């Protein structure tokens, strides 16, 4: 259990083991349950298209106190790339913590704005995700790299490749 009191659903671990050992699953996207008490599997796929995976993160939604906006997510991706030297391929299982900077659920708004009086402090989902991340990571042994992504450019294929291929020969 995390510092926030959020637990990790058993399916999170079993799906990760399928990805890690079976190599049939390419990625898993995790989210907090609607009551913010458990990390659950939202989606998984064997599709190797990075853009499809990336778009699922970009379009993730969350709601809190009746408001909906861009939502944070955790993801695990079996990232594979060819070495620049042409001497083969490498792969790493990458843990991605996606917490977009924009969106009604992540921006701390404690001052009501004259042009939009409905904006209030709705940072709860983002704080809960941040304080629950370690519980999920600790439940998933063998992660090869970690990426904290807050903007769209941080989950571009080339950006992730640059991060995960450091030291790979």
């Amino acid at each position: 259990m995390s510092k926030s009191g959020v637990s990790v659903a058993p399916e999170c671990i079993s799906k990760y083991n399928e990805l890690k050992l079976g190599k049939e699953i390419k990625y898993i996207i995790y989210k907090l349950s609607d009551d913010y008490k458990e990390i659950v599997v939202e989606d998984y796929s064997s599709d190797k298209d990075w853009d499809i995976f990336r778009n699922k993160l970009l379009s993730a939604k969350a709601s809190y106190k009746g408001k909906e906006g861009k939502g944070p997510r955790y993801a695990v991706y079996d990232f594979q790339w060819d070495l620049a030297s042409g001497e083969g391929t490498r792969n790493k299982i990458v843990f991605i913590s996606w917490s977009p900077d924009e969106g009604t659920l992540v921006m701390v708004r404690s001052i009501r704005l004259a042009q939009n009086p409905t904006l209030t402090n709705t940072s709860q989902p983002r704080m809960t995700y941040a304080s629950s991340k370690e519980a999920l990571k600790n439940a998933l042994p063998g992660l090869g790299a970690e990426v904290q992504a807050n903007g769209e450019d941080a989950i571009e294929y080339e950006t992730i490749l640059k991060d995960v291929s450091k030291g790979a020969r």
Side-chain angles (χ1 to χ4, degrees):
M1 186 167 297
S2 70
K3 293 177 185 177
S4 64
V6 173
S7 63
V8 177
E11 183 190 18
C12 295
I13 299 164
S14 63
K15 281 296 173 206
Y16 174 74
N17 287 333
E18 286 180 44
L19 177 144
K20 185 177 166 185
L21 303 174
K23 299 294 182 181
E24 299 270 331
I25 297 174
K26 187 68 175 173
Y27 64 83
I28 306 165
I29 298 174
Y30 303 96
K31 70 172 197 160
L32 287 174
S33 59
D34 292 340
D35 62 3
Y36 288 88
K37 294 189 186 273
E38 187 174 44
I39 299 169
V40 297
V41 172
E42 178 179 51
D43 193 13
Y44 62 93
S45 178
S46 60
D47 193 327
K48 296 178 180 181
D49 188 327
W50 176 264
D51 289 330
I52 289 173
F53 165 74
R54 181 178 180 271
N55 286 332
K56 287 184 180 194
L57 291 180
L58 292 175
S59 64
K61 301 284 184 205
S63 61
Y64 181 69
K65 293 188 176 181
K67 304 229 184 249
E68 185 175 281
K70 289 191 174 194
R73 292 294 186 270
Y74 311 111
V76 174
Y77 193 94
D78 188 3
F79 199 89
Q80 186 173 4
W81 71 98
D82 294 321
L83 294 174
S85 65
E87 296 178 6
T89 60
R90 297 289 187 266
N91 77 303
K92 282 188 183 177
I93 298 175
V94 181
F95 181 87
I96 300 170
S97 179
W98 167 245
S99 189
D101 284 330
E102 71 282 345
T104 58
L105 294 175
V106 296
M107 299 186 76
V108 177
R109 306 278 182 133
S110 57
I111 301 171
R112 294 186 180 268
L113 301 175
Q115 64 269 44
N116 190 350
T118 61
L119 289 178
T120 59
N121 183 349
T122 56
S123 62
Q124 183 66 33
R126 191 172 185 183
M127 292 185 309
T128 305
Y129 268 86
S131 62
S132 303
K133 177 175 79 169
E134 290 302 317
L136 180 58
K137 281 178 43 185
N138 291 339
L140 308 176
L143 295 169
E146 179 181 351
V147 173
Q148 172 66 48
N150 301 97
E152 293 184 20
D153 58 332
I155 54 173
E156 292 285 348
Y157 179 86
E158 293 300 323
T159 304
I160 302 293
L161 175 61
K162 183 179 171 185
D163 286 345
V164 301
S165 64
K166 290 178 185 172
R169 295 172 242 201

